[in-house]
Amino acid sequence: TTPKFEGFTEMADERSFQAEATRTAKRWLTRAQQVWEEQGVPMLSKMQKNPNSKQYTGIVAFTTFIVWYFFAHDILYVVSLLAEMLRTFGIVLLVLRVVKKTQSVQGLSLKTQQLYAVVFLTRLMFKIAYEQDYIYALIEVAAFSLTAYLVYLMRVEYAASFSAESDTFKDIWILGPCAVLGLVLHPNVTSSYFINVLWAFSTYLEAVALLPQLFVFHSASRTVDNMTSLWIVSLFL
């Protein structure tokens, strides 16, 4: 009879642990929502009206605090997650710049946005298939959705303001070499050859996806506005 009682005890302990973990997660989410409503929303609203470096620094500091508060036990995870969040925040700024500020996509590269959409989609597949980290996956979903929305704006809603004559960089010269490198040079981080290639391809592609945008800046010889500058800075953080 003793093994049965031990089994019931283990099940009770496991249920108690799960219940406590659920309560802790709810407290964290409630606290995060409260902090976001009190600090994040007013800061983002102010930045939308008058974006400048001080407000951007405030957003970075606030995001750093939130990430550190929840994940201080793993410094590498903090750095990686913070970079992902700031990059996604940069895409939010670019969407606001197009929709709220200029109602124009002039000066932006459609090819760069399409390449980043591929980056985020392939990385999302890797995160789900291998890491099963749903925080990362959620951020990748947000980044992909926002970038896909930018592609829609450039192709459909604000197509009249898109300067196709400036966006002349051949993206096949980016996709082709990245695909070949991914097939040949990839780490064995999983037991799946396809997932390993997918991870390598997305990493190589992200490193050079900004090239068409840089060519647009060079050919158009335009002054880059604040929000576009902050988007680029966010990509390199």
Side-chain angles (χ1 to χ4, degrees):
T1 57
T2 301
K4 293 183 179 180
F5 284 112
E6 289 178 351
F8 283 126
T9 302
E10 291 175 357
M11 291 177 60
D13 291 342
E14 183 178 351
R15 290 174 181 173
S16 177
F17 174 79
Q18 292 176 349
E20 180 61 28
T22 301
R23 288 193 293 268
T24 301
K26 287 181 179 180
R27 287 197 298 268
W28 284 2
L29 290 174
T30 301
R31 178 56 180 165
Q33 182 179 2
Q34 181 181 356
V35 173
W36 171 253
E37 291 175 351
E38 293 176 356
Q39 303 292 333
V41 173
M43 188 180 298
L44 186 60
S45 177
K46 183 182 293 185
M47 191 169 189
Q48 177 180 338
K49 295 178 181 178
N50 184 28
N52 55 53
S53 59
K54 291 183 179 180
Q55 292 165 343
Y56 180 74
T57 302
I59 290 288
V60 172
F62 172 77
T63 305
T64 303
F65 168 76
I66 291 296
V67 174
W68 181 262
Y69 180 80
F70 289 116
F71 305 104
H73 60 280
D74 189 340
I75 184 61
L76 293 178
Y77 190 86
V78 167
V79 173
S80 179
L81 183 60
L82 180 62
E84 298 282 347
M85 293 177 68
L86 291 178
R87 182 204 60 198
T88 304
F89 175 69
I91 304 173
V92 171
L93 288 181
L94 195 60
V95 172
L96 290 176
R97 176 263 197 193
V98 172
V99 176
K100 297 294 184 180
K101 184 180 179 181
T102 64
Q103 288 82 48
S104 169
V105 295
Q106 189 173 10
L108 297 181
S109 168
L110 174 62
K111 292 177 181 177
T112 282
Q113 298 304 324
Q114 292 176 158
L115 290 174
Y116 272 117
V118 174
V119 169
F120 299 144
L121 181 59
T122 53
R123 185 165 298 171
L124 174 63
M125 294 169 62
F126 172 79
K127 297 292 184 183
I128 294 176
Y130 172 62
E131 293 186 349
Q132 296 182 351
D133 188 325
Y134 296 106
I135 296 178
Y136 266 110
L138 182 61
I139 295 174
E140 295 295 346
V141 167
F144 172 74
S145 300
L146 289 167
T147 304
Y149 181 53
L150 277 171
V151 171
Y152 162 76
L153 292 176
M154 298 181 74
R155 283 186 171 275
V156 180
E157 191 162 343
Y158 298 113
S161 62
F162 171 60
S163 302
E165 64 275 8
S166 299
D167 197 11
T168 57
F169 193 95
K170 300 295 184 181
D171 49 5
I172 189 62
W173 293 109
I174 294 179
L175 288 169
C178 288
V180 172
L181 281 174
L183 290 169
V184 177
L185 299 175
H186 55 267
N188 294 319
V189 294
T190 75
S191 58
S192 171
Y193 175 81
F194 174 73
I195 297 299
N196 293 335
V197 170
L198 199 65
W199 182 88
F201 170 72
S202 66
T203 302
Y204 296 142
L205 184 58
E206 184 178 25
V208 292
L210 194 62
L211 280 177
Q213 182 64 68
L214 298 179
F215 270 73
V216 168
F217 289 155
H218 176 73
S219 61
S221 299
R222 290 173 50 85
T223 301
V224 182
D225 61 272
N226 288 340
M227 282 187 163
T228 305
S229 299
L230 293 177
W231 164 65
I232 294 176
V233 169
S234 298
L235 295 176
F236 286 99
L237 288 176

